[in-house]
Amino acid sequence: MIQIKNFKGIAVVCTMAMLFLSCKDDYKRVGEEAPKKVYPRSVAENFVATYTESPEKLGSEDEGSSKVLAILSGPIRNDFEQLSFPYQTFPDGLLVEIFNEKNEKTIIEADYGVLYSKTSIVDLRGNVLIKSDDGKKLSTSQLYYDRGNEWAFTQEKFTFTNPDDGTVMDGEGMDIQKDLKFLNAHKTYGLMLIKEDKEQEND
């Protein structure tokens, strides 16, 4: 069973890392002290990356089919895998399609993304939207997605829509499964709209 507190720890680590990398001072460095420009090892345009797994090891003469776990696509992918802490950036947005054991699809969209290869954490920013196979939706401004544990978390404001019961929830900070079947909201506020049953409306 997944322990939510572990993911809160990951969120704190990611947040502290981003704060550390974004810190600036007023000292202007020149010469050998000047920061070196980092260029991507490669740039892919209109890319599509498919992640699969085989159900079991196959011999040279065996036949079998691989299961598609996820499809990642977008206009631009910058590859910085040559660095000691490798990562990839998606400056013009990305689309992630995730499939479960029943082949049900969850879609994640964002305006910008960073994939940290060693940690399997994806930092999604700007108009982040998750849409599950059964119609549930979650929108926020930034979201961390843990590919290894198939879990997402954010400290930002969010809106969660559930068409099953007609509810709309606004909140701030949450942990959620990739298929939106379980959500742990840290704080909720505002109005929760509840769709009335048709039979009650006719009474």
Side-chain angles (χ1 to χ4, degrees), residues 62-96:
D62 293 334
E63 294 182 0
S65 58
S66 298
K67 173 180 171 54
V68 176
L69 299 178
I71 300 174
L72 176 64
S73 60
I76 297 289
R77 180 182 66 190
N78 295 320
D79 186 345
F80 295 90
E81 296 295 315
Q82 78 276 15
L83 303 178
S84 57
F85 190 73
Y87 63 92
Q88 300 173 20
T89 63
F90 309 89
D92 294 338
L94 73 162
L95 172 67
V96 185

Side-chain angles (χ1 to χ4, degrees), residues 15 27 32 42 52 82 85 129 140 142 155 160 165 167 178 181 184 196 199:
T15 303
Y27 177 72
E32 293 183 356
S42 63
T52 62
Q82 78 276 15
F85 190 73
L129 177 65
T140 184
Q142 183 177 20
Q155 299 299 321
F160 176 71
D165 53 16
T167 60
K178 65 171 185 178
K181 291 183 178 178
N184 174 42
E196 294 184 6
E199 293 182 0

Side-chain angles (χ1 to χ4, degrees), residues 6-122:
N6 293 339
F7 297 98
K8 291 181 181 178
I10 295 173
V12 172
V13 171
C14 291
T15 303
M16 293 301 295
M18 297 305 295
L19 288 173
F20 176 80
L21 293 174
S22 63
C23 286
K24 296 181 180 179
D25 56 41
D26 296 329
Y27 177 72
K28 186 175 182 180
R29 292 170 171 80
V30 295
E32 293 183 356
E33 289 188 349
K36 296 181 180 179
K37 292 184 177 180
V38 179
Y39 296 96
R41 181 177 64 179
S42 63
V43 177
E45 296 184 354
N46 299 317
F47 69 93
V48 177
T50 302
Y51 299 88
T52 62
E53 73 170 0
S54 298
E56 57 184 12
K57 293 184 179 180
L58 302 175
S60 58
E61 298 181 357
D62 293 334
E63 294 182 0
S65 58
S66 298
K67 173 180 171 54
V68 176
L69 299 178
I71 300 174
L72 176 64
S73 60
I76 297 289
R77 180 182 66 190
N78 295 320
D79 186 345
F80 295 90
E81 296 295 315
Q82 78 276 15
L83 303 178
S84 57
F85 190 73
Y87 63 92
Q88 300 173 20
T89 63
F90 309 89
D92 294 338
L94 73 162
L95 172 67
V96 185
E97 300 170 272
I98 306 169
F99 302 88
N100 64 12
E101 62 281 354
K102 298 180 180 179
N103 207 36
E104 296 171 336
K105 181 170 65 174
T106 298
I107 296 176
I108 305 177
E109 302 175 70
D111 293 341
Y112 180 85
V114 183
L115 167 60
Y116 300 98
S117 305
K118 286 187 176 181
T119 61
S120 295
I121 298 292
V122 185

Side-chain angles (χ1 to χ4, degrees), residues 83-191:
L83 303 178
S84 57
F85 190 73
Y87 63 92
Q88 300 173 20
T89 63
F90 309 89
D92 294 338
L94 73 162
L95 172 67
V96 185
E97 300 170 272
I98 306 169
F99 302 88
N100 64 12
E101 62 281 354
K102 298 180 180 179
N103 207 36
E104 296 171 336
K105 181 170 65 174
T106 298
I107 296 176
I108 305 177
E109 302 175 70
D111 293 341
Y112 180 85
V114 183
L115 167 60
Y116 300 98
S117 305
K118 286 187 176 181
T119 61
S120 295
I121 298 292
V122 185
D123 180 3
L124 302 163
R125 309 176 197 173
N127 296 311
V128 182
L129 177 65
I130 304 179
K131 296 184 289 186
S132 66
D133 187 79
D134 57 3
K136 296 184 181 70
K137 294 181 182 181
L138 182 136
S139 59
T140 184
S141 60
Q142 183 177 20
L143 184 80
Y144 291 104
Y145 175 60
D146 184 341
R147 294 188 303 157
N149 293 293
E150 300 182 342
W151 199 264
F153 45 90
T154 184
Q155 299 299 321
E156 304 299 323
K157 294 179 180 179
F158 69 88
T159 298
F160 176 71
T161 305
N162 185 355
D164 291 340
D165 53 16
T167 60
V168 179
M169 178 196 300
D170 289 326
E172 185 172 349
M174 60 87 202
D175 307 280
I176 195 167
Q177 286 180 338
K178 65 171 185 178
D179 53 10
L180 304 183
K181 291 183 178 178
F182 178 80
L183 181 147
N184 174 42
H186 303 169
K187 178 168 52 174
T188 59
Y189 56 87
L191 297 175

